[in-house]
Amino acid sequence: MNHPEVVDRLAILNAAHPRRLSEGLRHPSQLRKSWYFFFFAVPGLPEDVVHARDWHFFRHFLEDANPPYAPEEIACYVEAWSQPGAAAGMINYYRASVRQSQKEAAAKLRPISAPTLVIWGERDSYLGSDLAEPDRDDVPNLDRVERLPDASHWVHHDEAERVNQLLIDFFSPAAG
C-alpha cells in the first residue's frame, strides 16, 4: 500500500485489509476474536507473559491448526520466538494496529494497485470470514478471494499443497 513500486503481485493469507479490520472491530463478535490486539497494546506486560511456561501464550494460538502442528514444528516456532527481539516485533505489529485512532489510520490508506489474491481459511478463530473480502475501491485489482472451508487461520499449514498451488499459479509468469 505504501510502496507499490516494490510489489508486482500480492498474495494475502488470512489477513484482513486494514479498513475491513477496522470495520470488523466495531462488532462484538470480531472484538471477542481479536481480544489479543488490545492485550498486546499494554506496555511491557505482553513481553513478560508470552514467554512464560515455555511460550504457552503463543502456543495456544497454534492449537486450532488441522492437522495439529507436530512437536518438531512447534520446536521451530519456539526457536524463532526465542530470538532476540522476535517476540517484541510480533507484539509491536499488533500494537501498531490499535495505537492510532481509526480516523488517523483511515487517512493513511491508499489503494493497493497490484493484482491481489486472498487465500482465506474459513475456520479462522481470530478473523471473521466477513473480513476476507476487501472493498474494491481499496483493492481495485483483486483477482479473487479463494476460500478454503476446512482451513483455520493457519491456512498455509492446514492445506499446504492447495495453498502452494494457488500461489504458484498466481505468481507464475503466465498468470493473469
Side-chain angles (χ1 to χ4, degrees):
M1 181 182 309
N2 293 327
H3 299 283
E5 71 280 3
V6 299
V7 179
D8 293 326
R9 299 177 81 69
L10 176 64
I12 298 169
L13 281 63
N14 277 74
H17 184 278
R19 185 182 322 275
R20 188 64 80 210
L21 180 60
S22 178
E23 292 167 355
L25 289 174
R26 294 184 193 141
H27 300 282
S29 63
Q30 186 57 54
L31 281 170
R32 277 192 303 278
K33 291 179 179 190
S34 298
W35 64 269
Y36 56 95
F37 278 56
F38 304 98
F39 171 70
F40 287 151
V42 177
L45 181 63
E47 286 85 349
D48 292 338
V49 170
V50 297
H51 61 71
R53 295 180 25 219
D54 194 29
W55 301 95
H56 175 80
F57 188 92
F58 282 165
R59 288 172 184 258
H60 167 78
F61 285 97
L62 299 176
E63 289 177 359
D64 64 338
N66 185 22
Y69 280 96
E72 55 274 11
E73 292 171 314
I74 296 289
C76 290
Y77 275 98
V78 168
E79 181 181 349
W81 299 332
S82 300
Q83 299 305 306
M90 292 167 28
I91 291 166
N92 286 338
Y93 168 82
Y94 292 97
R95 259 187 198 131
S97 71
V98 296
R99 193 162 270 166
Q100 59 191 338
S101 74
Q102 289 184 344
K103 188 175 182 178
E104 290 172 318
K108 294 178 181 177
L109 295 178
R110 305 286 178 269
I112 296 171
S113 57
T116 302
L117 168 66
V118 175
I119 302 173
W120 196 271
E122 292 287 295
R123 290 190 317 100
D124 192 320
S125 297
Y126 311 108
L127 297 172
S129 187
D130 56 316
L131 301 181
E133 295 275 346
D135 188 288
R136 285 289 177 166
D137 291 339
D138 289 325
V139 188
N141 292 312
L142 179 66
D143 183 76
R144 70 186 188 279
V145 176
E146 185 75 29
R147 295 175 180 271
L148 304 183
D150 297 324
S152 71
H153 185 73
W154 315 110
V155 64
H156 59 286
H157 169 83
D158 297 356
E159 297 203 28
E161 287 184 29
R162 177 74 177 129
V163 168
N164 286 342
Q165 192 59 58
L166 287 165
L167 294 172
I168 289 167
D169 292 347
F170 182 68
F171 286 115
S172 71

